[in-house]
Amino acid sequence: DFRVALTQHVLSSDAKALSEIEKNLAAALAVLDKDRQVYVKLISGDEERRVYEAFEADWKRYVSAQEQIVASSRKYEKDAAQALLEGAARQAYTSANFDLDKLTEINTAGAVAASEAAEQAYATDPERGRPLGSRRTAEYARGECADRGRLA
C-alpha cells in the first residue's frame, strides 16, 4: 500500500531504509502505470470514461503529493512530510479510491448485464422464439435434434 510505505518513509531516519522504500514505491508505481495502460483500452462507456478520468486526476494529485512527501522526508523535514501525508495526500488518495470503487460498481453492473443477456440468448430458441426446455437441451447435447448446428 502506498500510504503505508509513505508513512514508513516519514517515520524512518535511516538513509538505507529510505532508499529501499523509495525503490519499492517506484516499482509499485511502474506496475500501476502498466495496469492503467491496459485498463484504459477496455473502457466501454461514457460513464466509465468519465469516472476513469476523475481517477486519473485524483491519482496525479496523489503522486504529486507523494513526491513532495518523499522530498521533504529525505531532507528530514518530517513535520512537513507528515502534514502533507495527512492533508493533501490523504485527500487525493481517498478520492482516487472512491473513483476505483465507482469503476468497480460500473464494471460489476456491466458484467451482470452481459451475463443475463447471454443467459437469455442461450435459453431462447431463435427460430421458434420459445425457451429450450431440458428435453430439447438434452436432444441437442446427444445430437438427436435435426437443427442442432444452428445454435452452435
Side-chain angles (χ1 to χ4, degrees), residues 39 42-54 102-103 106-107:
Y39 180 82
L42 302 174
I43 294 174
S44 61
D46 293 338
E47 181 185 15
E48 184 180 11
R49 183 163 310 284
R50 181 186 56 74
V51 174
Y52 182 78
E53 288 170 356
K102 195 86 165 114
L103 287 169
I106 291 167
N107 282 291

Side-chain angles (χ1 to χ4, degrees), residues 13-102:
S13 59
D14 178 54
K16 186 176 180 180
L18 294 176
S19 294
E20 187 65 26
I21 293 167
E22 290 167 17
K23 179 180 159 189
N24 292 339
L25 283 169
L29 281 173
V31 168
L32 182 62
D33 285 343
K34 186 177 177 181
D35 290 346
R36 286 179 19 231
Q37 290 171 12
V38 171
Y39 180 82
V40 76
K41 295 174 187 174
L42 302 174
I43 294 174
S44 61
D46 293 338
E47 181 185 15
E48 184 180 11
R49 183 163 310 284
R50 181 186 56 74
V51 174
Y52 182 78
E53 288 170 356
F55 164 74
E56 281 287 306
D58 291 332
W59 187 250
K60 285 179 184 175
R61 283 188 312 123
Y62 178 74
V63 170
S64 176
Q66 176 216 328
E67 291 168 354
Q68 293 172 28
I69 291 166
V70 169
S72 292
S73 179
R74 242 318 160 185
K75 293 187 259 178
Y76 297 99
E77 297 169 356
K78 301 297 185 172
D79 290 338
Q82 185 70 32
L84 280 168
L85 182 66
E86 293 174 358
R90 177 183 290 162
Q91 183 182 30
Y93 191 82
T94 300
S95 294
N97 274 324
F98 176 80
D99 298 332
L100 291 175
D101 289 343
K102 195 86 165 114

Side-chain angles (χ1 to χ4, degrees), residues 124-130 132 136 140 147 150-151:
T124 302
D125 181 336
E127 290 272 326
R128 295 176 182 88
R130 68 175 186 227
L132 294 174
R136 268 193 60 89
Y140 271 78
D147 58 356
R150 281 199 322 243
L151 295 179

Side-chain angles (χ1 to χ4, degrees), residues 122 132-142:
Y122 178 77
L132 294 174
S134 59
R135 183 185 59 76
R136 268 193 60 89
T137 303
E139 289 173 2
Y140 271 78
R142 289 191 307 266

